[in-house]
Amino acid sequence: MIKTQNIKLLISFLLITSISFVGCYNYSDISSEDMQQNYDENSPFQSLESKVFHKNDSLSVLVLRFKNEDLHYALSEESEKYQAKWSIHIKLFDAFETKKMIDSVSFNFVDSINHQVEFYRTQTLSFPLQKGKKYGLSLSISDLNKKKEAKRLLVIDKEGELSAENFRLFDSKHNMQLSPIIQQKQEYRVVYVGEAKELFVSVYHQNFPIAKSPFSVEEDQPLYLKRDSSFILPIENASTSYFSVKKTGIYHFRTDTTQNKGFTLFVYYPNFPNVVLPEHMLFPLRYITTAKEFNQILLQKDKRQAVEDFWLEKSGNKERARKMITAYYSRVVWANKYFTSYQEGWKTDRGMIFIVFGKPNIVYKTTEIEKWIYGEERNIRSLSLSFTRMENPFTNNDFKLVRSPSYKDAWYRSVEVWRR
């Protein structure tokens, strides 16, 4: 059992109003919680980033970061000041499917100083975590003024020194990077917890196909990547020197080339996940176009105009076309944000479903499966889809749809909504 008295929060600018700890006991398993808010663009704390890294064999750290503007400041009757009030609740499990909770901790916060000040808040929680297994962590953060909550689930791999949580990434301003997505030509360094003198970096440049239709009977091919190049980063005092990357691709860092496990960074186009260039508008259209329509757009010299003409033809007027463009590509951006793995989020199975069907009404998650429900639970008219996590050396965010011919009618109905 983890000793909760050893848990400490390292915060320099927050006032902690209350803290509570709970020991080891049975609790409802994480997989029974509705996690729909994870994929709701209107949910609070949209900027929230979270990452766990290991300091040593017995101590791990959870880092949270979000924009101050995500907080709602309201006038307090007691202090006559504008105050933000929020809470963080963390539950640690042996795994998402178990009802045995190892530990739980809650924090309440108040801030009346930074009203209308734009910056990122970073909160760091250290907790004992023994080496040799994987854990599940449930995080909820609530805006107490708005009475709204955001949730996150994290898989923590502490099976050995090769897991991704043993690596930390810092930019040239010494800021820890919580996202695995980095930018070209910017400088970074990697800090590694373990005994190694160098990092071996394999580089893959590959264009992946978009997701197949949800009713496709074609079998998925196993992921195979051919390495394009490689380089070595010496480690001194647990850190590499600063480096930068010039090309898009997958950069896989390992201390042992005989093993696949390691730390991976992804480089996409500038300003990703946003839709910036005409091709960013063009290719996601494949989900709602016929092959003939898509090929005709591809042949046009002015791709942006060709895309706009498609929407204008389907909508019937400029105003409706503008609304449809905004709605469709907003979903593309959110798919990139939520579901990006070794490929852009809009290309993935979950990204495809999210773009065409929209956000699900109910989401259940385990370490291996996500279940999305459109409609009411246990209603025979509702659409239920399951996604299975794939073993992938580059990411834990790779989920494949369990396809079925029964999805065909629902798919074409949703596609037709976009086309009329």
Side-chain angles (χ1 to χ4, degrees):
M1 180 193 301
I2 292 180
K3 296 181 179 180
T4 53
Q5 63 263 32
N6 290 332
I7 297 179
K8 62 180 180 178
L9 189 68
L10 307 176
I11 299 176
S12 60
F13 54 82
L14 297 175
L15 172 63
I16 303 179
T17 58
S18 66
I19 305 178
S20 62
F21 300 95
V22 181
C24 181
Y25 70 105
N26 286 342
Y27 200 89
S28 61
D29 57 302
I30 301 176
S31 60
S32 65
E33 297 184 21
D34 180 9
M35 303 299 295
Q36 185 268 351
Q37 286 183 325
N38 269 10
Y39 306 142
D40 187 348
E41 61 269 28
N42 296 314
S43 66
F45 299 99
Q46 278 300 320
S47 66
L48 178 64
E49 293 181 288
S50 54
K51 182 178 176 60
V52 171
F53 68 88
H54 307 314
K55 294 192 73 172
N56 51 48
D57 288 350
S58 59
L59 189 66
S60 298
V61 178
L62 171 66
V63 182
L64 305 177
R65 183 178 297 150
F66 60 90
K67 291 181 180 178
N68 191 65
E69 63 187 39
D70 284 351
L71 295 169
H72 177 67
Y73 284 76
L75 186 62
S76 170
E77 295 180 357
E78 294 83 6
S79 65
E80 296 184 348
K81 295 180 180 179
Y82 281 91
Q83 291 184 335
K85 299 179 181 180
W86 70 101
S87 66
I88 295 174
H89 184 57
I90 297 168
K91 294 178 288 186
L92 188 65
F93 289 76
D94 272 341
F96 287 165
E97 295 78 12
T98 183
K99 291 186 178 181
K100 182 181 178 182
M101 185 170 65
I102 299 174
D103 208 354
S104 175
V105 59
S106 295
F107 304 93
N108 289 337
F109 306 95
V110 176
D111 176 66
S112 58
I113 299 174
N114 298 293
H115 182 214
Q116 297 182 338
V117 176
E118 295 184 2
F119 68 100
Y120 275 90
R121 293 181 178 271
T122 300
Q123 299 175 207
T124 305
L125 172 68
S126 301
F127 53 95
L129 201 63
Q130 296 302 315
K131 180 181 176 181
K133 62 178 298 183
K134 290 184 179 180
Y135 301 87
L137 186 145
S138 172
L139 161 70
S140 63
I141 178 168
S142 302
D143 188 315
L144 302 180
N145 286 333
K146 281 189 172 182
K147 296 182 173 58
K148 289 190 175 182
E149 179 186 43
K151 299 178 182 178
R152 298 290 186 272
L153 298 180
L154 301 175
V155 177
I156 304 175
D157 183 353
K158 204 165 186 179
E159 290 184 328
E161 292 184 351
L162 302 180
S163 71
E165 288 91 338
N166 289 307
F167 298 80
R168 282 175 288 163
L169 184 71
F170 293 86
D171 64 19
S172 58
K173 295 181 180 180
H174 311 295
N175 297 315
M176 186 189 302
Q177 301 297 294
L178 305 186
S179 170
I181 300 172
I182 63 172
Q183 302 298 316
Q184 299 177 57
K185 300 180 181 179
Q186 293 190 17
E187 292 193 327
Y188 302 93
R189 67 183 178 93
V190 175
V191 173
Y192 174 67
V193 178
E195 298 295 328
K197 296 183 178 180
E198 53 191 9
L199 288 180
F200 304 92
V201 188
S202 298
V203 185
Y204 306 88
H205 305 292
Q206 191 163 327
N207 187 28
F208 298 97
I210 67 172
K212 302 189 300 291
S213 66
F215 54 86
S216 173
V217 295
E218 181 183 348
E219 291 188 8
D220 287 321
Q221 297 299 316
L223 177 65
Y224 173 76
L225 296 181
K226 182 178 180 181
R227 186 177 64 189
D228 293 281
S229 61
S230 62
F231 59 92
I232 295 175
L233 291 173
I235 298 176
E236 186 174 348
N237 297 323
S239 174
T240 70
S241 57
Y242 281 98
F243 66 93
S244 62
V245 297
K246 298 180 180 179
K247 295 182 178 180
T248 59
I250 299 171
Y251 292 77
H252 189 46
F253 297 72
R254 292 175 294 171
T255 58
D256 184 351
T257 56
T258 66
Q259 303 292 323
N260 281 330
K261 294 186 71 171
F263 171 66
T264 309
L265 298 174
F266 307 100
V267 184
Y268 301 106
Y269 56 80
N271 294 314
F272 182 87
N274 297 319
V275 174
V276 181
L277 300 176
E279 54 263 34
H280 303 155
M281 299 178 66
L282 167 60
F283 290 105
L285 273 183
R286 186 65 190 90
Y287 292 135
I288 60 170
T289 57
T290 65
K292 182 179 179 180
E293 288 172 334
F294 188 75
N295 289 331
Q296 286 177 341
I297 297 174
L298 277 178
L299 293 174
Q300 302 301 312
K301 289 184 178 181
D302 190 337
K303 299 295 191 294
R304 182 180 294 276
Q305 187 61 52
V307 170
E308 292 177 355
D309 289 344
F310 167 83
W311 286 108
L312 182 58
E313 178 188 351
K314 299 305 175 185
S315 63
N317 61 74
K318 288 184 178 181
E319 182 178 354
R320 188 164 185 271
R322 189 178 302 111
K323 291 180 179 179
M324 292 178 70
I325 288 172
T326 299
Y328 193 81
Y329 293 109
S330 291
R331 291 188 185 181
V332 171
V333 172
W334 285 108
N336 285 340
K337 180 178 179 180
Y338 296 140
F339 310 121
T340 290
S341 54
Y342 63 91
Q343 58 183 335
E344 300 98 314
W346 73 267
K347 289 184 174 182
T348 66
D349 287 353
R350 289 181 298 170
M352 169 187 63
I353 297 299
F354 185 87
I355 291 169
V356 176
F357 288 95
K359 61 187 177 185
N361 298 100
I362 302 171
V363 175
Y364 293 121
K365 295 169 70 75
T366 72
T367 51
E368 302 300 326
I369 295 174
E370 282 195 18
K371 181 179 179 181
W372 293 13
I373 300 173
Y374 289 89
E376 298 177 347
E377 192 170 13
R378 289 183 287 274
N379 187 323
I380 61 173
R381 295 185 178 180
S382 297
L383 177 66
S384 178
L385 305 104
S386 293
F387 303 87
T388 303
R389 188 178 73 85
M390 308 302 293
E391 284 297 327
N392 189 314
F394 307 121
T395 176
N396 283 323
N397 203 33
D398 182 14
F399 284 77
K400 293 294 184 183
L401 175 66
V402 180
R403 288 173 164 77
S404 170
S406 64
Y407 297 143
K408 190 172 185 177
D409 289 344
W411 172 261
Y412 280 123
R413 284 196 300 269
S414 294
V415 168
E416 189 59 29
V417 170
W418 287 108
R419 294 175 57 84
R420 65 170 184 236

